[in-house]
Amino acid sequence: MRGARALDLGTGPGLVALELAVRGAIVLGVDIAENQIGAARELAEARGLAPACRFAVAPAEETKQPDASIDLVTAGTCWHWFDRDRALAEVARVLAPGGLLVIANYIYLAQQSQLVRDSEALALKWNPAWKLAGFNGLFPWLVDRVAANPAIRLREQFCYDHDRAMTHAGWRARMRTCNGVGSGGMDAATVERFDADLAALLAERYPEPLTIPHRVFCVVAEKAS
């Protein structure tokens, strides 16, 4: 990892990019949201990682990086938002021969938690049009889509579940970024009303620490020589 040239797509506030930098990579994180890039830069400065971890506003489908210039491309719980064929073509263009693509998804599981079901019910109260409540965290189409690209060789896929301990504040923050809430699902005023409802629910029924079941679903591919 040390010295590897990494590109983190859909970087958001830079959580994956910063962890790659901690492990010695030279990282560029890109996202189309300027506010997310601003937050990522602030975190990089606060953690002393700015020299090794840069951020730029750019789509995953057109990163403007040179051909064959990247050793590792990552995408954390965001690939489903991209134009998938264009994004994969861009990955194949920027990866050096033998370079890796890692698409990782980290999804909380309503099927295994009454707290998650109650939280999603509140999201549906304020956003009845939301269609992704109850998602199981599996992306089987992703494996075939990656494997179908002749420039990319599928290396492995894996999936596992684990329980994550969270505080009330942490779970509220996680739900505010949910696609049915703050990530395009509600306006700012409605997000605040949802968050107040969630805070009241947690205080009434769910003492800390919370245990939130999550599923990791990951695909790893390699640029063909």
Side-chain angles (χ1 to χ4, degrees):
M1 176 65 72
R2 187 158 300 279
R5 302 161 297 175
L7 174 65
D8 185 41
L9 304 177
T11 196
L15 301 182
V16 172
L18 292 168
E19 291 305 316
L20 293 174
V22 166
R23 288 157 176 78
I26 307 302
V27 190
L28 172 66
V30 299
D31 200 289
I32 60 172
E34 292 187 15
N35 62 330
Q36 296 277 48
I37 292 298
R41 287 171 176 159
E42 289 179 5
L43 284 173
E45 289 286 351
R47 296 180 62 180
L49 294 170
C53 197
R54 299 181 297 112
F55 296 95
V57 177
E61 299 86 354
E62 192 175 351
T63 65
K64 298 183 172 61
Q65 300 309 297
D67 293 356
S69 63
I70 303 295
D71 302 307
L72 171 66
V73 175
T74 54
T77 317
C78 57
W79 191 268
H80 48 287
W81 298 117
F82 302 157
D83 180 322
R84 297 155 192 167
D85 290 334
R86 289 182 60 215
L88 196 56
E90 179 71 350
V91 168
R93 184 186 70 79
V94 302
L95 272 179
L100 296 179
L101 166 65
V102 179
I103 304 172
N105 297 282
Y106 187 61
I107 308 295
Y108 61 72
L109 297 175
Q111 301 91 333
Q112 298 181 20
S113 169
Q114 186 62 50
L115 166 56
V116 175
R117 291 193 292 273
D118 289 345
S119 301
E120 289 195 334
L122 288 179
L124 287 165
K125 168 188 169 182
W126 292 106
N127 181 14
W130 184 36
K131 303 298 185 184
L132 294 178
F135 180 52
N136 66 5
L138 297 175
F139 297 80
W141 54 265
L142 180 57
V143 179
D144 290 336
R145 185 67 63 92
V146 170
N149 189 302
I152 300 288
R153 179 169 53 249
L154 182 68
R155 285 187 49 166
E156 64 176 313
Q157 54 181 300
F158 58 88
C159 176
Y160 63 90
D161 294 357
H162 83 107
D163 290 334
R164 178 178 176 183
M166 301 184 75
T167 63
H168 284 183
W171 179 240
R172 287 169 59 193
R174 174 65 185 87
M175 286 303 298
R176 284 196 298 271
T177 66
C178 168
N179 54 70
V181 183
S183 297
M186 303 177 189
D187 60 33
T190 307
V191 170
E192 291 304 314
R193 289 190 285 268
F194 162 79
D195 184 59
D197 275 358
L198 181 57
L201 171 72
L202 294 172
E204 179 183 351
R205 301 186 191 174
Y206 296 101
E208 295 179 301
L210 307 174
T211 300
I212 309 296
H214 282 72
R215 177 162 291 157
V216 175
F217 185 95
C218 192
V219 173
V220 181
E222 181 179 7
K223 173 69 178 289
S225 301

